[in-house]
Amino acid sequence: MKKYILAMVGLVSVSMISCEKFLEEKPYDFIGVANFYKTEGDANAALNGAFSSLQPQTYFGRTSWLVTELSGDLMRVNAALADRDNLYGQTFDASNGEIGNWWNSNYNLINRANDVIKNVPNVPMDVARRNNIVGNATFLRAMAYFDLVRSFGSVPLILNPTTDLSNLKPARTPIPAIYAQIIGDLKYAEANCFAENLIPANAKGRVSTGAASALLAKVYLTKASIPAAKEASDYTNSLAASNKVINSGLYALGAYADVFDVTKENNRDHIFSIQFDLPPNVGNIVVRMHLPAGLNGTGSFVVEKSFEDSFLPLDIRKALTLRKETPTSQFAYYSKFADPLRQTNNARNNVLITRYADVLLLQSEALNEINPADANKLTGINAVRFRANLPNLLLANVATKDAFIDALVQERAWEFSAEGHRRFDLLRLGRYKARQLAAFNRTVADKYLLFPIPLTETDLNPNLLPNNPGF
């Protein structure tokens, strides 16, 4: 069982619900910073509050994969709603509600993480455990800023909780400075979070040093794709980070079906996941939204036909990823997320932020950028393909940088569809416009390569203007 706690630390009061695993119950009333942060239990409760902010449907409970997958090329809207239709059709603007949710939820997480980072270092407790708590918070802050900068570009960099009222209308921060903060936070997490094998069983879901290294590998690759932020060392830094994870021996590829089995969560395939469970805990709506109405779902989304047709005959992932309600159904639905114990909207499926397969493919991506002629770039991608029952790629067929990127774009589609990666994968690998054209015969304007800053934010804070070009 996985249970959760909600802690509004740094505000007027703290509200909590029951918890298990690493989220332990501790009731408080009328608590502020001055009379909180006294014990190790307080420090853990504050961190639990940061983790709990990941779960709402306006964040990783739903919005995260709406904004990242509907604006890609693998999923289509099946139940019309304007915000979703506009993401899918590349017609979104600053009034889009899901984009607004994405902005607000990331900053809510940042505020809670800032509270932990500022106050926990003063708590008298074991130094290693204290640094681990702060490392978890710096990881969460880095993850939020990484999602913000690759979604919106330049955004305000806020490093103090909202109890600091000195700057209520912050300006946007240059992209290189945001990446520098992300990398600094992740390096702290990498150095101070516990290794995966040292995290107690009742604390699964906390950040490991391997999770920090894995996210660093992707951050460096993404940074290298942005001319304003790129540095010559980005690819070698990414490779070093992915190698730390691979060489740790703590992670491995198991059976592909086990990746999504709710009875086998937090296994060696899973590097960092957001935890969900059945009521009275926070459940995940993802299963119901993908299931068709005939299977007690909402049928909100279906598989893009071009993606369904792209699978190679031997690939075992197709049968585990999608299926059709009836043999004559026009579209398949995503079946990789399932929970036989689901209660309407609530399922046990964790949201998988980083998997070991992701790190293997990031290693291959970095090696291809460093030297396209290096046959070692095939090691990671071929390990992922072997698990899927596909033959190895041969260097002769992907010898050029662009040929290998095309293969990687396809492999990442088969491996990670509907998991919240697609928009960012296509942008990082330089294939966003090409895939929109191929899948939809649609030419995408440059302005849609970034989301607009939400209108609700620019109305309150004119220092966020001008908005991103075209909005």
Side-chain angles (χ1 to χ4, degrees), residues 400-415:
T400 68
K401 184 183 294 186
D402 280 346
F404 187 78
I405 289 174
D406 288 338
L408 193 61
V409 165
Q410 185 61 75
E411 199 66 45
R412 292 190 68 89
W414 292 329
E415 182 70 24

Side-chain angles (χ1 to χ4, degrees), residues 426-440:
L426 294 177
L427 289 170
R428 183 183 73 254
L429 292 165
R431 296 294 187 270
Y432 193 82
K433 287 187 172 185
R435 286 305 308 153
Q436 289 287 316
L437 186 63
F440 311 111

